[in-house]
Amino acid sequence: MFEGFSEKTSEFLWDLKFNNERPWFLAHKEEFLKNVKEPFDALGKDLLEEMRCRFPGEDWNLHISRIYRDARRLFGRGPYKDHLWLTLWKGLPKGDNPAFWFEISPEAYACGTGFWAAEASQMEAYRKYIDTNPAEILRLDAMLKNQNRFVMRGEMYKRPKADKGEPLNQWYNRRWLGFEHFGDYSPELYSANLVQTLADGFEFLMPYYDLMCKFIR
């Protein structure tokens, strides 16, 4: 059962960031297991069960990242990641399709929903959907502006695809789409209530996740 992260979680990740080598990690592996991996795994398990309770009948899936980097893709970096993440998604195999996610790093955490790497064809289908369903996008935009936790993310095209007027331009002219929240190591992160906080956020984001899932190939 998840009982919250601690200050030692951040301390370990900072230490790893500046001591990213195998001898150091092996000497501190028990600290990693106790202060990072065990609470992170517990969070993932509890969050999965909470989403299954809130959205019964859905085929929920969970993936938790490993601390080890792919040895083929180090590119001059150390062999370990200094951040961990989990993803939750419904139905089809994950691939690069939309998902809910939570990430913890040395200095902060983040959560939200979005594409991992949207394909151009997916975003083209998404723009065509906006063309025929502008009222739905305006409704989602109003919901987003009526809260202060999540913000829309996604690189804007330097040359807009079209001028739809505001606020539709903010939805239409992005290379990819996501909705994110960033926070520091606040009491929220140290509490068992983080499970409910994340689930509440994901429940709010469900219409946005469902929108992006319309364009899964």
Side-chain angles (χ1 to χ4, degrees):
M1 179 178 294
F2 180 71
E3 298 179 352
F5 293 105
S6 71
E7 292 181 358
K8 291 183 178 180
T9 305
S10 176
E11 290 173 2
F12 178 87
L13 293 174
W14 273 117
D15 287 343
L16 178 61
K17 186 179 182 73
F18 294 106
N19 298 277
N20 201 320
E21 54 188 23
R22 180 176 170 80
W24 184 92
F25 182 82
L26 292 179
H28 296 81
K29 189 170 183 179
E30 290 302 317
E31 296 174 37
F32 163 69
L33 294 175
K34 180 179 179 180
N35 299 317
V36 181
K37 181 173 173 53
E38 290 175 5
F40 202 91
D41 288 351
L43 174 64
K45 180 180 178 181
D46 289 357
L47 186 56
L48 175 63
E49 291 305 312
E50 181 65 24
M51 295 298 284
R52 285 173 172 169
C53 289
R54 294 191 185 207
F55 301 95
E58 299 284 2
D59 182 20
W60 285 100
N61 302 276
L62 168 69
H63 171 75
I64 297 177
S65 67
R66 300 172 71 241
I67 194 71
Y68 307 98
R69 285 196 173 113
D70 187 336
R72 300 167 298 176
R73 297 180 174 86
L74 294 182
F75 305 117
R77 301 173 297 179
Y80 306 101
K81 302 165 187 165
D82 59 11
H83 59 287
L84 292 175
W85 66 88
L86 62 82
T87 51
L88 286 161
W89 71 96
K90 297 189 297 183
L92 298 174
K94 173 63 178 66
D96 291 330
N97 294 322
F100 296 98
W101 55 272
F102 168 83
E103 179 178 275
I104 191 168
S105 66
E107 65 274 6
Y109 78 95
C111 62
T113 188
F115 284 100
W116 178 259
E119 297 179 4
S121 58
Q122 289 176 313
M123 296 307 291
E124 179 63 25
Y126 162 73
R127 286 188 290 273
K128 289 180 179 179
Y129 186 85
I130 295 178
D131 288 336
T132 56
N133 298 274
E136 178 182 350
I137 304 304
L138 291 173
R139 178 179 62 83
L140 292 175
D141 184 75
M143 287 173 53
L144 196 65
K145 290 177 178 175
N146 199 36
Q147 52 85 57
N148 59 10
R149 184 171 179 82
F150 296 100
V151 296
M152 182 164 44
R153 299 289 186 186
E155 180 186 359
M156 301 292 289
Y157 282 103
K158 293 182 179 179
R159 293 184 178 182
K161 293 292 184 178
D163 183 2
K164 299 292 181 178
E166 296 297 345
L168 287 180
N169 280 341
Q170 295 300 313
W171 293 77
Y172 200 89
N173 292 305
R174 295 183 184 269
R175 292 182 180 274
W176 54 272
L177 187 66
F179 303 88
E180 302 174 355
H181 167 76
F182 293 88
D184 57 17
Y185 275 77
S186 63
E188 178 178 69
L189 208 59
Y190 300 143
S191 170
N193 291 334
L194 181 62
V195 174
Q196 297 296 322
T197 299
L198 290 175
D200 288 346
F202 292 166
E203 186 169 351
F204 169 79
L205 290 173
M206 187 61 70
Y208 304 88
Y209 171 80
D210 287 339
L211 170 68
M212 290 180 284
C213 283
K214 294 178 186 292
F215 313 109
I216 292 176
R217 297 186 61 186

